[in-house]
Amino acid sequence: MKAKQMMMMVAFLMIATNALAREWYVAELSSDGKTLTLKKGVGERADYSKGQQEVNMNVWIANTPNITTVVIDPSFRDARPNSCSCWFMDCRELTAIYGLENLNTSETVSMDCMFIGCEKLRQLDLRSLNTSRVRSMVGMFSNCSQLVTVDLSSFDTSQVKNMTNMFEGCERLKNIYVGSGWNTSAVTESGDMFIRCMTLTRLGQFQLQEDLLDKTHAHTGPGGYLKRK
């Protein structure tokens, strides 16, 4: 792909409601293919077959092996995606995400596989995310094999029904921080939630056990794998 083409807006995410201003939200890939920026775009737009409210991040899937940095620009704050599914799927070289506070997830209902396969991420601070409407977190951090700490202390999971494979393959994960909003009472599916999390321990320093992998141990009390913050 030519350099000029690489600088073009490569993914149209969500059309803004202000049609007169011709504004919508886009993903822009840098000329070297390493930095992905989510921001507001202005000007003519291409047809957006998925509809006004749906956000489909898989349109740049061919470029994910090269992305090392994601930047969420302040101009992206008014975007309200109803799905964040697979947004950063298989960004195997991704090491940093800047501007997560600019991601408005107040209307998001799915975070399935949002960070799946981000093999080089070591820490994730997701305290700025609003999860009050999220119903599914299937494989959200699956195969983040270098992830050591994830901060979910602001998460409200009262509406979540499915946490299947949520932390699958997080082989170096030691700290999962949650707060008072963490609630798994609505969860009906959570099989293999902690499978292959070989460094995770339960309160009391008991190692992870292969028969204790579902939501039964997704808490901060005795026998739980989570930590209160």
Side-chain angles (χ1 to χ4, degrees):
M1 185 178 292
K2 296 179 181 179
K4 289 184 179 179
Q5 291 176 314
M6 290 292 288
M7 289 300 294
M8 293 176 64
M9 305 303 184
V10 297
F12 292 90
L13 307 183
M14 184 170 67
I15 304 166
T17 56
N18 189 351
L20 293 178
R22 296 178 181 274
E23 297 177 342
W24 58 95
Y25 297 96
V26 300
E28 185 178 67
L29 197 64
S30 63
S31 58
D32 61 5
K34 293 184 178 181
T35 300
L36 184 70
T37 301
L38 309 185
K39 65 181 185 178
K40 180 177 288 187
V42 180
E44 296 297 326
R45 68 172 178 82
D47 288 337
Y48 189 72
S49 60
K50 293 296 183 179
Q52 184 169 350
Q53 297 302 319
E54 184 175 348
V55 179
N56 182 3
M57 305 295 280
N58 288 330
V59 291
W60 64 70
I61 192 69
N63 297 301
T64 55
N66 300 317
I67 295 171
T68 62
T69 305
V70 170
V71 178
I72 305 174
D73 189 80
S75 65
F76 199 73
R77 287 176 179 170
D78 291 333
R80 291 177 173 81
N82 58 17
S83 175
C84 289
S85 295
C86 302
W87 270 31
F88 308 111
M89 180 176 69
D90 290 334
C91 290
R92 301 185 190 282
E93 298 299 315
L94 181 63
T95 57
I97 302 176
Y98 299 106
L100 274 167
E101 69 276 8
N102 299 319
L103 177 56
N104 186 338
T105 56
S106 60
E107 297 181 13
T108 301
V109 297
S110 175
M111 290 184 173
D112 288 351
C113 302
M114 188 172 178
F115 299 98
I116 188 172
C118 292
E119 297 176 348
K120 291 192 175 181
L121 280 178
R122 293 183 59 82
Q123 297 185 54
L124 271 172
D125 184 346
L126 303 180
R127 288 176 295 173
S128 61
L129 298 189
N130 183 333
T131 62
S132 59
R133 294 191 180 185
V134 177
R135 296 185 178 182
S136 186
M137 293 181 173
V138 175
M140 188 173 178
F141 306 102
S142 182
N143 294 323
C144 290
S145 55
Q146 299 297 313
L147 191 63
V148 175
T149 298
V150 58
D151 193 333
L152 314 178
S153 57
S154 68
F155 272 30
D156 173 355
T157 57
S158 58
Q159 301 299 314
V160 179
K161 298 180 181 298
N162 198 334
M163 290 183 173
T164 302
N165 300 101
M166 188 171 176
F167 300 98
E168 175 192 4
C170 292
E171 298 173 356
R172 298 191 178 185
L173 186 59
K174 293 182 178 179
N175 306 304
I176 304 173
Y177 293 111
V178 298
S180 59
W182 182 267
N183 183 340
T184 60
S185 60
V187 175
T188 57
E189 297 179 73
S190 60
D192 290 339
M193 187 174 177
F194 301 103
I195 193 169
R196 292 189 292 112
C197 296
M198 305 311 297
T199 59
L200 203 59
T201 59
R202 289 182 289 152
L203 184 63
Q205 301 303 308
F206 296 104
Q207 288 294 123
L208 178 139
Q209 294 181 219
E210 288 300 312
D211 59 338
L212 305 176
L213 300 175
D214 60 11
K215 76 164 190 175
T216 307
H217 298 275
H219 60 80
T220 61
Y225 296 126
L226 312 185
K227 297 178 180 179
R228 179 74 68 178
K229 189 172 183 179

